[in-house]
Amino acid sequence: MENVRKEKKMTEEQIRVAALQLEENKRKTSRSLNALNALNAEIKEHKGAISTLNRQILALDHRMSELSDSITELDGKLESMRKSYSVSVKKIKEAQAGSTSELAFIFASDSFMQAYRRMRYLQEFSAWRKKKSDEIQGVKTELENKKTDLSKLQKNKTESLAKLKREHDALASKQVETSKLVAELKTEGSAINEVLKEKEAQARALDKELDRLIAEEQRRQEEERRKAEERRLAEERRIAEERRIAEEKRLAEEKLAQEREQKLLAENAKQKKDKNKKEKKPKADKKKQSDKKKQEVIVASAKPAAKSMPAAAAVDNTAALKKLSGSFESNKGKLPFPVSGRYKIVRAYGRQQHPELPHVTTENSGIDIEVSPGSTTRAIFNGKVSAIFRQPGFNTIVMIRHGNYLTVYANLGDILVKNGEEVKLGQTIGRVYADPDDGNRSILHFELRKERVKLNPMAWVK
């Protein structure tokens, strides 16, 4: 019996150790997959930098070739100008042979007209020499400037080539790291499958919860709209009923006034007939009294019915939501990135074939952005916090509504907003969670939706 208990205890300990080892293997595999995603993102960055540098070097080569051709052409032009100038000066000197100076050349003339022509000739020659000298100097200056530009371009090319070499070296290093990591992961096929299945299950759970929250929000908004419409219709019926009652009262008072007027007219006619002979007052006074009574009756009948004050209009934010939606749509492709500073996208949107692991396909409802530990995330547009909740694998999630559009910021640690709070573009939402089990790796999961329809965030942010 004692042996059975010992064996049972030993078996339980072995099971516990195996479970711990399995959990540690899963964590290690998860860290390796995250590291592989980061390496692939860095390799993509290095390839992009190499492509950009290659384009810059080609542009520099083209510009240097143009400058070299231009310098060769200017060298030829300068040499030709110098030769032409030298020949012309030599001919002038030969024409002045025997004269020690320009003044002697003028005084050696045979006549005044010849002296005048020689003086004009010397003036024109002096102006020509200055012009040619300036032209030669201009070509020399242009040539020197182009040689300086060429020297700068050669320096830029040398720097670009050095950068290109560094990028190639970094790329080769990352590719070696990637190859080692892939080799390690290939030996852990079952662990990879378990980790990927777990991540897929977490992603499906997040999708399901987001769909539920959005559907609940839509139902609540629809209920608010329905109640607002009912209040509006009730208010319209109340106002219509008040108007009907007021109109009935006015008609009744008008009828009563008419009956009083007819009664007064009949009494006046009877009094006039019965007391015609006995009355001493002029007919004008009687007529005036009758007119006065008529006027009183008319004034009494003309009093308006009391107006009822309209009730406050029902609140309906449908127009505001449409305006905000339209504003969000008009900024497509211009919205700021949800993080500032350096970052790399380690998992793209949609269904992706893994670049290194064959037969591994991943599905992403948004984009995964790796940032430095301690980095924060920010709202990409004005909106209202519609939900804050936690989900396994994504820590704390904040959902912000922008009219009919929603942005989702997942895997947050510290939260700096409250549910229902109005947020502004660029406002800090929270700090990205730093995973202590993965070297404080910080990855923000970001989604963008139009109600429940998933959208590619990269088509909206810049």
Side-chain angles (χ1 to χ4, degrees):
M1 191 68 179
E2 185 66 26
N3 290 336
V4 171
R5 279 198 296 270
K6 285 182 179 180
E7 286 179 7
K8 181 182 178 184
K9 190 175 180 181
M10 189 179 297
T11 302
E12 288 174 349
E13 180 63 20
Q14 289 173 349
I15 291 171
R16 189 184 68 82
V17 170
L20 288 173
Q21 186 63 46
L22 183 62
E23 189 63 29
E24 177 57 31
N25 287 342
K26 284 174 65 178
R27 282 199 295 269
K28 181 183 175 184
T29 302
S30 180
R31 288 195 295 269
S32 298
L33 284 171
N34 287 336
L36 182 59
N37 288 335
L39 282 170
N40 284 326
E42 289 175 15
I43 287 171
K44 188 176 179 181
E45 285 181 0
H46 288 308
K47 286 181 177 178
I50 288 169
S51 178
T52 300
L53 286 168
N54 280 327
R55 287 196 299 271
Q56 289 176 354
I57 290 169
L58 283 173
L60 286 171
D61 284 338
H62 180 69
R63 179 67 181 141
M64 287 168 64
S65 176
E66 288 181 344
L67 277 175
S68 295
D69 291 344
S70 181
I71 287 170
T72 303
E73 184 181 345
L74 284 172
D75 272 331
K77 184 178 179 181
L78 184 60
E79 185 63 26
S80 175
M81 289 175 73
R82 282 173 172 166
K83 285 181 179 179
S84 176
Y85 180 75
S86 178
V87 169
S88 298
V89 170
K90 188 176 180 181
K91 285 181 179 179
I92 295 298
K93 294 295 184 183
E94 288 174 355
Q96 295 178 2
S99 300
T100 57
S101 67
E102 291 182 357
L103 192 60
F105 178 63
I106 294 171
F107 283 128
S109 302
D110 295 333
S111 64
F112 178 78
M113 285 302 297
Q114 188 181 35
Y116 176 74
R117 285 196 298 272
R118 285 186 175 186
M119 186 175 66
R120 287 289 307 274
Y121 166 77
L122 288 172
Q123 288 174 345
E124 290 175 3
F125 173 68
S126 178
W128 176 85
R129 282 184 67 177
K130 187 177 185 310
K131 180 183 176 184
K132 289 298 179 183
S133 179
D134 290 344
E135 286 178 358
I136 290 171
Q137 186 59 41
V139 172
K140 284 176 67 178
T141 302
E142 185 180 358
L143 184 60
E144 288 171 1
N145 289 338
K146 289 194 179 293
K147 285 181 177 179
T148 301
D149 290 343
L150 182 60
S151 177
K152 289 179 180 177
L153 288 176
Q154 287 172 337
K155 183 180 178 182
N156 289 341
K157 182 179 178 181
T158 301
E159 291 175 354
S160 295
L161 287 170
K163 286 181 182 177
L164 185 62
K165 184 178 183 305
R166 288 196 296 271
E167 290 293 339
H168 273 298
D169 291 344
L171 177 62
S173 173
K174 295 298 179 185
Q175 286 174 331
V176 169
E177 285 184 51
T178 302
S179 298
K180 288 181 180 177
L181 201 53
V182 169
E184 289 177 9
L185 285 169
K186 283 181 178 177
T187 63
E188 302 172 0
S190 59
I192 289 176
N193 289 333
E194 285 185 20
V195 170
L196 290 175
K197 284 180 181 178
E198 184 178 352
K199 287 183 178 293
E200 286 175 3
Q202 290 172 349
R204 284 195 301 270
L206 177 61
D207 279 345
K208 186 177 179 181
E209 181 62 13
L210 287 171
D211 286 343
R212 186 192 69 77
L213 288 170
I214 294 169
E216 177 63 23
E217 197 172 28
Q218 287 176 323
R219 186 198 63 75
R220 189 169 60 251
Q221 288 176 349
E222 184 60 33
E223 182 67 17
E224 288 175 359
R225 279 195 288 269
R226 185 185 63 77
K227 288 180 178 179
E229 181 66 14
E230 287 178 354
R231 288 194 296 270
R232 186 185 66 79
L233 292 173
E235 182 67 9
E236 286 182 356
R237 287 194 297 269
R238 186 189 66 77
I239 292 171
E241 181 64 17
E242 285 183 354
R243 287 176 179 169
R244 185 189 64 78
I245 293 170
E247 180 65 14
E248 287 180 354
K249 185 178 179 182
R250 187 187 66 80
L251 291 173
E253 288 175 351
E254 198 175 87
K255 184 179 178 182
L256 183 61
Q258 289 175 353
E259 289 175 353
R260 287 175 181 171
E261 185 181 4
Q262 289 174 359
K263 186 177 179 181
L264 285 171
L265 289 173
E267 288 177 356
N268 288 338
K270 184 179 179 182
Q271 288 174 4
K272 184 178 178 182
K273 184 177 178 182
D274 293 343
K275 301 178 180 180
N276 188 35
K277 293 179 180 180
K278 296 179 181 180
E279 295 223 356
K280 295 180 179 181
K281 290 185 179 182
K283 292 181 179 180
D285 291 343
K286 290 182 180 180
K287 187 176 184 299
K288 187 176 179 181
Q289 187 179 3
S290 177
D291 289 342
K292 187 178 179 180
K293 289 181 179 179
K294 287 181 181 178
Q295 189 175 2
E296 288 174 354
V297 172
I298 292 169
V299 169
S301 64
K303 287 183 180 178
K307 291 183 179 179
S308 60
M309 294 297 291
V315 177
D316 187 1
N317 61 357
T318 304
L321 285 173
K322 285 182 179 178
K323 183 178 179 182
L324 188 59
S325 299
S327 181
F328 190 92
E329 284 179 354
S330 66
N331 282 281
K332 183 178 181 179
K334 298 179 286 186
L335 296 167
F337 214 73
V339 296
S340 58
R342 288 188 59 80
Y343 65 87
K344 50 179 174 277
I345 299 173
V346 293
R347 284 186 65 215
Y349 170 82
R351 193 170 183 81
Q352 305 286 332
Q353 178 69 43
H354 200 284
E356 299 295 339
L357 299 173
H359 313 301
V360 174
T361 303
T362 59
E363 182 79 28
N364 198 355
S365 299
I367 56 175
D368 291 356
I369 310 159
E370 184 169 338
V371 294
S372 303
S375 297
T376 57
T377 184
R378 59 188 178 184
I380 67 168
F381 202 70
N382 300 338
K384 183 178 181 180
V385 179
S386 60
I388 298 175
F389 61 101
R390 291 183 64 84
Q391 194 76 15
F394 293 95
N395 291 289
T396 304
I397 300 107
V398 175
M399 185 168 69
I400 299 178
R401 177 169 285 279
H402 318 274
N404 292 330
Y405 291 86
L406 299 111
T407 49
V408 179
Y409 310 79
N411 200 36
L412 302 183
D414 301 328
I415 302 299
L416 302 176
V417 293
K418 301 187 294 293
N419 200 4
E421 180 181 344
E422 297 283 347
V423 295
K424 299 293 184 184
L425 185 152
Q427 181 176 334
T428 301
I429 297 166
R431 200 175 304 280
V432 183
Y433 175 74
D435 189 354
D437 292 333
D438 195 6
N440 285 330
R441 192 183 297 276
S442 304
I443 299 175
L444 172 71
H445 177 73
F446 176 71
E447 295 187 20
L448 196 153
R449 300 183 174 208
K450 185 173 184 180
E451 298 301 352
R452 283 186 278 181
V453 179
K454 301 169 191 173
L455 304 172
N456 184 357
M458 296 306 294
W460 291 77
V461 297
K462 61 180 179 180

